[in-house]
Amino acid sequence: MKLFNYKTAISSVAIAAMLTGCAGTTGNQTIDDNQRAIIGATVGALAGVVLGNNIGGGSKSRNKVIGAVAGAAIGGAIGYSMDKQAKEVADSLNTNVNNNPNAALDPNADLIVSNTDTYVKIMFRDDMMFQTNSATPTPSAQAKIAKINSVLQKYPNTLVQVVGHTDNRGSHSYNANLSEQRASNVGNIIYSSGVQNQIFSKGCSFDKPVAPNNNATNMALNRRVEVYLYPNQQSVIDVCK
């Protein structure tokens, strides 16, 4: 009986994660849907080769081929699905998919939909979502959040993670509680619509700013709620780091 090589498999997963993390843009050039699908398939194939190499039974070369084909199919399908969901979410919110890494630094961008090969992210600015020091979304914010539900109903297996972020005014514990309450309330609005998706919420306090908390403009950039859509649990990232 051949033992599974966990060290090799973990290394391949790490490589795949780095590759998919870079799949959104090349410099300032946004990668299109076909390129993203190719990248997803390539990453899947690389992981599949390693996994196929560690499968017992049959020749090693045959297992590599089987693993590569399966991995490419899975990786390509996930990449395509994330592209498709991102476009549908953006359409529902009357905006476009924006994978520019500097988009979050635009003070005029109060809603940004972006995606990688392994998740879709919808970023809502705090100022358009809540009154000052309130954790309850405004009626207009609730209407925007509800628009996502029509897309989620088409993808009941998509995992939903809602994350709150604050600036650094006040204590870390105060902001941790505020960010968690805001994330939870947004998650509850999605849940109460009757979607079948698993929904999780998390508060990051001021641990993950997009800009230095050194002026009012940057602080406003850091106050936000992000909704992540994942195809599976293996794609979930640590959103507070």
Side-chain angles (χ1 to χ4, degrees):
M1 180 178 69
K2 185 175 182 179
L3 296 176
F4 189 90
N5 190 330
Y6 283 97
K7 184 176 180 180
T8 304
I10 290 172
S11 297
S12 69
V13 172
I15 293 171
M18 288 188 287
L19 287 173
T20 55
C22 299
T25 56
T26 303
N28 293 324
Q29 180 65 42
T30 300
I31 293 177
D32 63 25
D33 292 355
N34 290 331
Q35 290 173 307
R36 193 182 301 281
I38 291 170
I39 291 172
T42 302
V43 171
L46 289 173
V49 167
V50 176
L51 294 176
N53 191 41
N54 287 277
I55 296 173
S59 68
K60 183 177 292 187
S61 60
R62 179 173 178 272
N63 287 338
K64 283 183 179 179
V65 172
I66 293 173
V69 172
I74 294 170
I78 289 175
Y80 173 77
S81 177
M82 293 297 95
D83 284 331
K84 190 169 184 291
Q85 288 187 50
K87 186 178 185 308
E88 291 180 15
V89 168
D91 288 346
S92 72
L93 294 169
N94 297 316
T95 187
N96 298 312
V97 177
N98 186 352
N99 287 323
N100 186 328
N102 294 318
L105 299 177
D106 182 357
N108 296 315
D110 57 3
L111 169 63
I112 301 172
V113 178
S114 61
N115 73 292
T116 69
D117 290 316
T118 51
Y119 62 80
V120 174
K121 181 170 75 172
I122 308 109
M123 189 204 74
F124 297 99
R125 293 287 186 206
D126 178 270
D127 289 347
M128 67 170 288
M129 295 285 285
F130 308 96
Q131 297 292 337
T132 303
N133 293 323
S134 171
T136 303
T138 63
S140 61
Q142 293 183 41
K144 282 188 177 293
I145 296 165
K147 291 182 178 180
I148 302 173
N149 300 335
S150 61
V151 178
L152 292 177
Q153 288 172 356
K154 298 172 59 177
Y155 302 96
N157 294 324
T158 290
L159 303 180
V160 181
Q161 184 179 41
V162 187
V163 188
H165 301 272
T166 66
D167 60 38
N168 67 348
R169 292 177 298 177
S171 68
H172 187 277
S173 59
Y174 170 81
N175 283 290
N177 182 60
L178 179 62
S179 59
E180 169 59 34
Q181 283 185 332
R182 288 179 169 178
S184 179
N185 287 342
V186 171
N188 284 334
I189 292 172
I190 298 173
Y191 174 78
S192 63
S193 70
V195 298
Q196 301 301 308
N197 309 74
Q198 292 186 55
I199 302 171
F200 309 90
S201 65
K202 185 178 181 69
C204 293
S205 189
F206 47 72
D207 291 336
K208 193 176 180 181
V210 297
N213 283 294
N214 54 9
N215 58 55
T217 299
N218 284 351
M219 287 181 176
L221 294 176
N222 291 329
R223 298 192 299 270
R224 65 202 191 277
V225 170
E226 297 171 339
V227 180
Y228 288 80
L229 310 180
Y230 301 104
N232 49 49
Q233 290 189 358
Q234 290 72 30
S235 300
V236 176
I237 62 173
D238 188 340
V239 290
C240 293
K241 291 185 178 180

